[in-house]
Amino acid sequence: MKRRLCLLSSFVASSCLYANEIQLLDEIVTVGTKSEKSVEDQTTHVEVITSETIENSGASNLSEVLNAAPWLYVAPSGKTISIRGMGHSDTLLLIDGKRVNGEFSKTYELERIASGMIERIEILKGSSALLYGSDAMGGVINIITKKPSTETVSGNISMVGGSDKAGADLFVSGKEEKLSYSLYANYLNRDAYTKSKTTDVKVMQSSVEKSPSALSGASTSSFGKLRSALKDSYGISNDYTDNLETKNVGMSLSYEFSDFFTAYVEGSFLDEQKDGLYVSESYATNYKNGSNTIMAKYIPAHQYDDNQRFNLATGFDYTPSDSLHVTYNLAYSKYEKDRKVYTPLWSELGYSSLEASLSSLNISTLEYLTNDAQLTWTINEQNRIVTGAEHRIHNVTSTAYDVDDRTYTGAFIQHETTPFEKLHVVYGVRYDSTSTDEEETSLSIGATYDLLESVKLRASYAQGFRSPDDRELYVDQTNPNGKKMLGATVIDTSAGKTSTYDLKSETSDTTEVGFVAHGEGWILDVAAFDTKIDDRISQVSYTNYNTFENISDSEIKGVETTFDVGLSETVWMQLGYTYQDAKNKTDATKLSDVPERIASISLSYKPIKNLEFRTTTKYVGEQRGTDDEQVGGFSVTNVKVIAKEVFYHTDLFAGIDNIFQKETPEYLGLLPEAAYYVGFNYKF
């Protein structure tokens, strides 16, 4: 297929020496329609992070890769992501088109996926329930892993080390006649980012917070013992990021039984160890006041996580004719979590040992079994039908809750048509049901129009939904901050929750209009979006517990734009800007944790063929905190240098993140100051 290249810098027109600066508007992706279609022809906004961008980033995991993108917001903690103002729970994470299964909060996934296993990343902005069902109201991030090459043996070895991390990646692939294979392994060890902090300890007495020295009671009483044992304040080394150690291994085998039938099997294993010292908002002492446990507040606590995940999948591609393509996938995933929290003040709180101060225990096993099938029928050059179905079974055994298997079933049909030469239309419908008697029907329609040879318009409307997850429905445990977490269906009279809550799915309607224009040496992409959300599921805090309720109808609307331009034969620039107006329509307040503005500028300078200097500055504007406080904006500048083919297929790179040592608001999680790294990538 003839590929049209849109140039990012003027010198590319006459030379291929700087091919890495070429933006392929017709880059073929599958995330937007589940069929092969170019980025430019997508009716919804799709972005691609290429393999070269990932290799040159110096990133160790997915969080660091995504944080460099001008149109995404990754919190300084590195654990949460937002697309167009939607929370991370509304963003569906896929690896090779399959759901990433793990914790419901999704707060750890960005740090678990090693950058060394990623070939490229496809990001779909906006709702995509038509193709993916629940959890895709904000968008979809599809991580495409490295695939076997056509060569006998090839691969790469990379290592990175720096002020706070050390990591290594290995990838090997090859092909022997009809058998293709690949193997990857990754190791990352990252130190916590720590700063000194003073915490003022309080103890609850007669429903009032008191400093330990202000507690009343005889010296032999429980309050008297706490008064003599506890100080009013403690200085600690607070961890704003966790100590993290991850190990990933994976393999894939594929066999071509014939020209029209290929089958595969793949597996992977993750081992993760992490820990961090922080201040717990509430911690149980080992003392009683009558029959009630005395609670202390703002106590130093240390959380330890030991997690493993095993994935196994198999499936086939069947192409009986040029017009028909059938795929089937069967995937099994098992995730095991072991979380424990202790306090270094165990003796002061009356415990006999550190182990006796155990809190927030969470030992869980989550198992997923997914079947999905898809049929693509290309009727002619102007019409294509894509239809598919999936069935998911989810089983949980946990100290946090216990519930029967939940099942999810969905089916969709989509029609892609070109009724006129310049007009392309995609529309479809999907039906989903769950074992908890939830049913959702989702509609979607979008179109592109070639206004000019260099200008393409696009418009779309899509519905989305997110079903309540097991945690929101059934959880019954104490969280690491010492507060009871109670699902909507749980009753706990001791905490004050005396009734169940009928938690509904949250639903959305998203409208988008935009255009992409390009010329010799530049690309401009502009989109305006409006997402209306009904029955938004939110965590609600009461005096003695947190729970989940449908609290509001919300609306997020905004504009985003990127502009790429070659300023000279050696300098390339990318500008990005996003404005987001996120409101709770129920009480006319702003939604929390949604920056009003995000802006970025990236510059690349290539003085000679194989040497590049790159800098990226991203500004994240003000946002509202969960307690209605105003959280200030911040900016971060990262710099790096990449030297290609320094010796025998080896690239070298080095960089400094947050070079100007800017501080971020503590509410968001602090960033390390001037964190440096160096590394190499050897290809064979």
Side-chain angles (χ1 to χ4, degrees):
M1 181 182 66
K2 183 177 179 180
R3 309 191 69 185
R4 184 173 68 253
L5 302 181
C6 180
L7 309 182
L8 285 179
S9 51
S10 59
F11 64 90
V12 180
S14 59
S15 172
C16 293
L17 294 177
Y18 303 95
N20 59 319
E21 297 301 341
I22 296 175
Q23 172 72 35
L24 302 176
L25 284 180
D26 59 339
E27 181 87 13
I28 301 301
V29 297
T30 60
V31 68
T33 60
K34 283 198 173 180
S35 62
E36 294 186 349
K37 190 178 295 294
S38 69
V39 170
E40 188 179 25
D41 289 334
Q42 299 288 328
T43 59
T44 53
H45 201 166
V46 173
E47 302 278 1
V48 177
I49 301 177
T50 65
S51 59
E52 185 169 19
T53 299
I54 296 169
E55 287 181 3
N56 293 340
S57 66
S60 300
N61 54 37
L62 179 63
S63 176
E64 296 175 4
V65 174
L66 295 178
N67 193 37
W71 19 262
L72 291 175
Y73 170 57
V74 178
S77 65
K79 296 179 180 179
T80 61
I81 188 171
S82 174
I83 300 178
R84 291 182 172 176
M86 300 292 285
H88 61 276
S89 61
D90 298 312
T91 301
L92 181 60
L93 197 61
L94 307 173
I95 295 181
D96 294 327
K98 304 177 187 67
R99 286 174 177 256
V100 177
N101 297 313
E103 300 181 44
F104 296 113
S105 64
K106 302 181 184 178
T107 53
Y108 293 161
E109 294 302 340
L110 299 182
E111 297 184 317
R112 287 175 171 160
I113 300 172
S115 60
M117 63 183 277
I118 303 173
E119 175 66 25
R120 63 176 186 164
I121 303 171
E122 301 173 355
I123 301 173
L124 170 63
K125 301 179 183 179
S127 176
S128 190
L130 169 66
L131 300 178
Y132 299 101
S134 179
D135 307 330
M137 286 174 36
V140 178
I141 299 175
N142 188 23
I143 300 156
I144 310 298
T145 59
K146 293 179 178 179
K147 296 297 185 290
S149 68
T150 57
E151 302 175 18
T152 303
V153 178
S154 65
N156 71 285
I157 299 172
S158 63
M159 297 188 71
V160 63
S163 54
D164 63 349
K165 65 181 179 181
D169 291 279
L170 168 67
F171 177 75
V172 180
S173 72
K175 187 173 184 179
E176 295 290 342
E177 296 182 350
K178 295 184 177 183
L179 177 67
S180 300
Y181 60 88
S182 65
L183 171 70
Y184 73 83
N186 163 268
Y187 174 79
L188 173 65
N189 191 318
R190 188 196 66 193
D191 296 331
Y193 177 57
T194 301
K195 293 196 74 173
S196 298
K197 182 177 182 177
T198 298
T199 179
D200 296 323
V201 173
K202 304 293 181 182
V203 177
M204 299 301 298
Q205 186 175 34
S206 301
S207 301
V208 177
E209 291 185 9
K210 293 185 178 181
S211 299
S213 62
L215 294 172
S216 58
S219 59
T220 56
S221 68
S222 295
F223 287 112
K225 292 176 181 178
L226 287 169
R227 183 177 61 235
S228 62
L230 281 172
K231 300 178 183 178
D232 285 350
S233 63
Y234 291 86
I236 68 168
S237 297
N238 195 85
D239 292 333
Y240 290 92
T241 60
D242 296 318
N243 293 294
L244 175 67
E245 183 180 46
T246 60
K247 304 167 188 174
N248 284 279
V249 293
M251 56 76 63
S252 175
L253 296 173
S254 176
Y255 191 81
E256 298 176 14
F257 288 91
S258 68
D259 292 339
F260 53 84
F261 187 85
T262 301
Y264 77 91
V265 61
E266 61 187 23
S268 64
F269 178 75
L270 160 74
D271 181 77
E272 176 188 61
Q273 311 285 328
K274 62 195 311 178
D275 71 276
L277 183 67
Y278 65 101
V279 176
S280 176
E281 293 181 3
S282 182
Y283 209 100
T285 73
N286 199 32
Y287 293 108
K288 298 279 188 179
N289 181 26
S291 60
N292 298 320
T293 298
I294 298 174
M295 301 300 296
K297 305 195 73 173
Y298 318 119
I299 294 292
H302 205 140
Q303 179 174 330
Y304 297 86
D305 285 89
D306 183 358
N307 307 316
Q308 288 83 37
R309 178 165 57 208
F310 171 72
N311 295 325
L312 183 64
T314 186
F316 64 81
D317 284 346
Y318 177 51
T319 310
S321 67
D322 292 339
S323 61
L324 289 177
H325 181 208
V326 179
T327 63
Y328 171 75
N329 299 286
L330 174 63
Y332 170 77
S333 178
K334 182 177 182 180
Y335 176 72
E336 295 181 321
K337 178 179 182 62
D338 186 343
R339 182 188 71 199
K340 297 180 176 70
V341 177
Y342 304 98
T343 175
L345 301 183
W346 56 268
S347 178
E348 290 88 336
L349 296 185
Y351 291 102
S352 59
S353 65
L354 176 69
E355 291 73 18
S357 70
L358 173 66
S359 175
S360 191
L361 176 69
N362 187 339
I363 299 177
S364 302
T365 299
L366 294 79
E367 294 180 282
Y368 304 81
L369 183 66
T370 303
N371 289 267
D372 73 81
Q374 180 176 307
L375 169 67
T376 303
W377 178 28
T378 304
I379 303 171
N380 51 45
E381 291 185 359
Q382 289 76 38
N383 292 276
R384 176 189 289 165
I385 299 291
V386 181
T387 184
E390 71 169 341
H391 180 70
R392 293 183 281 130
I393 303 173
H394 177 203
N395 178 56
V396 177
T397 303
S398 175
T399 57
Y401 55 92
D402 192 13
V403 65
D404 294 334
D405 290 359
R406 290 184 70 186
T407 61
Y408 305 78
T409 304
F412 74 91
I413 185 168
Q414 173 183 272
H415 181 206
E416 305 171 26
T417 181
T418 306
F420 308 107
E421 181 181 357
K422 295 183 178 182
L423 178 66
H424 181 69
V425 180
V426 180
Y427 63 94
V429 61
R430 180 186 179 101
Y431 172 77
D432 288 273
S433 65
T434 74
S435 57
T436 53
D437 298 325
E438 296 174 284
E439 297 184 18
E440 295 291 342
T441 300
S442 306
L443 303 174
S444 178
I445 183 170
T448 63
Y449 182 75
D450 295 326
L451 182 65
L452 300 171
E453 184 178 355
S454 59
V455 179
K456 185 181 289 286
L457 308 180
R458 67 172 178 267
S460 64
Y461 166 79
Q463 296 176 326
F465 74 97
R466 185 175 75 83
S467 298
D469 61 40
D470 286 0
R471 173 173 171 262
E472 293 163 338
L473 290 172
Y474 308 116
V475 67
D476 184 358
Q477 68 163 0
T478 300
N479 70 13
N481 278 318
K483 199 167 187 179
K484 291 283 287 186
M485 293 290 298
L486 302 176
T489 65
V490 175
I491 294 177
D492 186 341
T493 55
S494 66
K497 191 172 187 294
T498 59
S499 63
T500 63
Y501 181 87
D502 183 17
L503 194 63
K504 304 180 182 68
S505 294
E506 57 182 25
T507 60
S508 68
D509 294 270
T510 298
T511 304
E512 176 186 337
V513 294
F515 71 88
V516 58
H518 57 87
E520 186 175 335
W522 61 272
I523 302 173
L524 174 64
D525 196 321
V526 179
F529 58 90
D530 186 351
T531 299
K532 295 180 174 65
I533 309 138
D534 294 332
D535 295 321
R536 191 173 183 90
I537 299 173
S538 298
Q539 181 174 304
V540 180
S541 181
Y542 291 96
T543 303
N544 296 318
Y545 67 93
N546 294 332
T547 189
F548 300 91
E549 298 177 3
N550 302 107
I551 66 164
S552 68
D553 295 336
S554 308
E555 182 176 15
I556 304 173
K557 54 186 177 181
V559 177
E560 59 187 9
T561 181
T562 57
F563 180 58
D564 298 75
V565 61
L567 300 177
S568 70
E569 293 187 354
T570 58
V571 180
W572 160 81
M573 178 177 69
Q574 181 185 65
L575 301 174
Y577 178 78
T578 299
Y579 170 77
Q580 302 173 141
D581 182 16
K583 292 182 178 179
N584 181 330
K585 296 169 64 178
T586 302
D587 58 13
T589 60
K590 288 189 175 183
L591 294 179
S592 62
D593 302 324
V594 181
E596 187 173 4
R597 292 176 175 84
I598 302 173
S600 68
I601 178 171
S602 296
L603 290 169
S604 172
Y605 171 55
K606 291 186 173 181
I608 57 176
K609 177 181 177 181
N610 289 334
L611 182 64
E612 178 184 6
F613 297 92
R614 185 178 296 182
T615 177
T616 298
T617 298
K618 180 181 282 189
Y619 168 76
V620 177
E622 294 182 346
Q623 55 189 288
R624 174 179 170 267
T626 53
D627 293 328
D628 206 28
E629 73 274 29
Q630 190 71 10
V631 180
F634 64 94
S635 62
V636 175
T637 299
N638 302 331
V639 298
K640 63 192 68 175
V641 57
I642 307 109
K644 296 280 191 180
E645 296 286 339
V646 176
F647 52 88
Y648 194 64
H649 306 305
T650 301
D651 303 338
L652 302 180
F653 57 87
I656 303 176
D657 292 339
N658 195 11
I659 189 171
F660 297 122
Q661 304 185 42
K662 296 289 187 177
E663 291 191 2
T664 56
E666 184 173 351
Y667 169 85
L668 301 173
L670 300 185
L671 282 174
E673 300 169 359
Y676 69 86
Y677 60 87
V678 295
F680 72 86
N681 184 30
Y682 167 67
K683 300 177 182 179
F684 57 89

